[in-house]
Amino acid sequence: MFITMKFFRRRSSPPPSSPGHPVDLHAAASTGAVPQQCPNCGSRKLFREKASFTAIYRIDDERSLAQPFTPMQVYCKECDFLVNDDLYWDAQVVYARLAGGRTPQIRVAAEVDKAMQAAKQLPALSDAERDQDYDRAREVWGCAGMHTIAESELQDTLTRIIRGYLAEGAYKVETEMVEQRFLLLSFITGTGWRPVRLARTASSGFVVYGQIYLYRILDAL
């Protein structure tokens, strides 16, 4: 069962949606770093375009709250690559409103600990092994590069990733080993599956890659 939320106008808050129309939050949301070039082809010819989405916040197995919104996205003019899916972080604003102060169903610390334990079991991979897996993922997920993580920064980075996805509607996190070489974090949301892949480098560090959401959460665009 979906419940469409309606918000009343207040000073210094985003304008409310009218029935059947998405809410525009750009006036109130802060702007993240504006991409300067396409991570896919290197072109600096980028353009902005509004998209229409519906945020779905899951309360329990039978109830959800839904709210349309229009995030500003950034695309490459040369290759049509999605460079930034939500320039003004509108999704987090909408989901925070839908949550309405409810206690999160997922304990961040527990999920980070689970991911850390799994990451410790990852074997060091050669550049060729990582590149092969990344190229396969990039074709499907639209990855924007392999983001490097020092071993000393892994816990903080995983915490940031998990918190970021939870703030945008994830209600379940699954951690699994793939081929005993890669760690896959699956974030389940009311609007789809959000995968994040982690691999260990030969220098004891890590690389992470996934859909464009990941890079925005890590300020890596």
Side-chain angles (χ1 to χ4, degrees), residues 19-94:
H21 292 80
V23 63
D24 185 350
L25 303 173
H26 299 158
S30 60
T31 308
V34 180
Q36 298 300 311
Q37 67 181 54
C38 174
N40 186 55
C41 71
S43 173
R44 292 182 175 275
K45 297 179 179 180
L46 309 179
F47 68 95
R48 302 182 186 186
E49 182 175 274
K50 284 187 178 181
S52 295
F53 285 97
T54 298
I56 300 176
Y57 178 85
R58 184 177 182 271
I59 300 175
D60 52 38
D61 291 342
E62 298 181 351
R63 297 177 300 161
S64 296
L65 302 176
Q67 173 64 56
F69 69 108
T70 55
M72 182 68 75
Q73 299 187 329
V74 180
Y75 286 88
C76 175
K77 287 185 178 180
E78 296 294 333
C79 68
D80 204 34
F81 186 82
L82 177 59
V83 179
N84 190 313
D85 67 298
D86 189 354
L87 184 62
Y88 299 102
W89 298 84
D90 290 346
Q92 291 195 7
V93 176
V94 174

Side-chain angles (χ1 to χ4, degrees), residues 30-220:
S30 60
T31 308
V34 180
Q36 298 300 311
Q37 67 181 54
C38 174
N40 186 55
C41 71
S43 173
R44 292 182 175 275
K45 297 179 179 180
L46 309 179
F47 68 95
R48 302 182 186 186
E49 182 175 274
K50 284 187 178 181
S52 295
F53 285 97
T54 298
I56 300 176
Y57 178 85
R58 184 177 182 271
I59 300 175
D60 52 38
D61 291 342
E62 298 181 351
R63 297 177 300 161
S64 296
L65 302 176
Q67 173 64 56
F69 69 108
T70 55
M72 182 68 75
Q73 299 187 329
V74 180
Y75 286 88
C76 175
K77 287 185 178 180
E78 296 294 333
C79 68
D80 204 34
F81 186 82
L82 177 59
V83 179
N84 190 313
D85 67 298
D86 189 354
L87 184 62
Y88 299 102
W89 298 84
D90 290 346
Q92 291 195 7
V93 176
V94 174
Y95 276 106
R97 289 187 169 191
L98 291 176
R102 293 180 179 85
T103 302
Q105 301 175 27
I106 297 175
R107 293 177 56 234
V108 174
E111 296 300 335
V112 171
D113 183 64
K114 188 188 305 181
M116 286 292 294
Q117 293 302 317
K120 291 178 181 178
Q121 302 175 34
L122 291 173
L125 301 180
S126 66
D127 291 347
E129 289 176 303
R130 294 196 314 275
D131 289 347
Q132 183 180 43
D133 185 73
Y134 171 78
D135 288 341
R136 288 198 301 259
R138 180 172 58 85
E139 291 296 322
V140 181
W141 298 345
C143 305
M146 286 187 276
H147 182 73
T148 303
I149 308 169
E151 187 166 18
S152 61
E153 298 174 354
L154 181 60
Q155 183 170 353
D156 287 344
T157 302
L158 287 172
T159 300
R160 185 173 184 177
I161 291 172
I162 292 172
R163 281 179 175 165
Y165 280 94
L166 295 186
E168 297 190 12
Y171 61 84
K172 185 178 181 180
V173 184
E174 297 178 348
T175 302
E176 63 178 305
M177 295 288 285
V178 178
E179 301 174 355
Q180 299 302 311
R181 299 186 301 163
F182 306 96
L183 177 62
L184 176 65
L185 299 179
S186 295
F187 296 91
I188 313 302
T189 78
T191 58
W193 173 58
R194 305 285 181 260
V196 173
R197 192 87 116 188
L198 184 76
R200 186 187 290 272
T201 68
S203 59
S204 297
F206 296 87
V207 292
V208 65
Y209 42 98
Q211 296 169 318
I212 200 66
Y213 315 92
L214 171 68
Y215 304 90
R216 173 169 52 81
I217 288 170
L218 293 176
D219 288 335

